[in-house]
Amino acid sequence: MPKNKGKGGKNRKRGKNEADDEKRELVFKEDGQEYAQVLRMLGNGRCESMCIDGTKRLSHIRGKMHKKVWIAAGDIILVGLRDYQDDKADVILKYMPDEARLLKAYGELPENIRLNEGIAGGGIDEDDDNAGDDYIEFEDEDIDKI
């Protein structure tokens, strides 16, 4: 059998951290680029995204980001628009949650966009007073009647 000359397999590569946790400079959009929020992942390196200009586009995740930067529904991304296809775009950058909050604070993103929660939302509404309560409250006079 041949001797193993490598340093490990795909799990070693997966464990590498490219020091993305460090603070990086906030990247703003230029002409030919647009901010977008991912609506859903389609697989095969593509996602459906709603751009800030109100257009729903099919976005292609570029090879540099593929299997290195994980994109999920609800993430804020920077897409490069195509001159020849208006309904398609290319994902250039994924913003971290704190960067997306900064973009919203700077007024780059509209106020109606919802950050750091998925598009599906779901869960219990905070408006309900007794949401999640499994008991009934009685007043003192109600207890006397029972």
Side-chain angles (χ1 to χ4, degrees):
M1 273 177 53
K3 191 165 194 170
N4 291 335
K5 295 182 179 169
K7 301 260 198 253
K10 69 176 182 181
N11 289 332
R12 181 178 181 275
K13 293 176 191 167
R14 188 178 294 167
K16 278 187 184 177
N17 193 355
E18 303 288 325
D20 288 336
D21 297 337
E22 296 177 12
K23 289 282 186 186
R24 63 180 182 192
E25 188 175 330
L26 189 60
V27 179
F28 293 102
K29 73 173 183 176
E30 298 173 5
D31 47 335
Q33 298 177 349
E34 191 65 59
Y35 300 114
Q37 187 169 28
V38 178
L39 296 177
R40 62 187 178 137
M41 295 302 296
L42 300 173
N44 200 19
R46 295 178 302 167
C47 62
E48 187 178 342
S49 58
M50 177 62 79
C51 292
I52 300 305
D53 60 5
T55 309
K56 192 181 286 189
R57 290 188 170 94
L58 181 70
S59 302
H60 175 262
I61 300 171
R62 54 188 289 206
K64 185 177 179 182
M65 298 174 67
H66 190 67
K67 291 195 175 182
K68 292 177 180 64
V69 178
W70 292 100
I71 298 175
D75 287 344
I76 303 297
I77 56 176
L78 180 67
V79 296
L81 304 177
R82 296 181 178 180
D83 298 334
Y84 52 94
Q85 290 174 314
D86 192 42
D87 59 337
K88 291 188 180 179
D90 300 296
V91 179
I92 297 172
L93 179 78
K94 175 195 166 189
Y95 290 104
M96 300 295 167
D98 56 330
E99 293 173 333
R101 282 191 290 272
L102 279 173
L103 283 175
K104 195 170 183 180
Y106 287 142
E108 295 284 323
L109 298 177
E111 292 298 320
N112 60 1
I113 216 163
R114 298 179 66 152
L115 300 178
N116 62 11
E117 65 231 17
I119 299 297
I124 298 171
D125 293 337
E126 296 176 9
D127 300 338
D128 296 340
D129 292 334
N130 293 330
D133 293 345
D134 292 334
Y135 60 91
I136 300 171
E137 295 183 22
F138 290 106
E139 298 292 328
D140 289 338
E141 55 266 6
D142 292 337
I143 295 173
D144 294 338
K145 293 177 187 174
I146 299 176

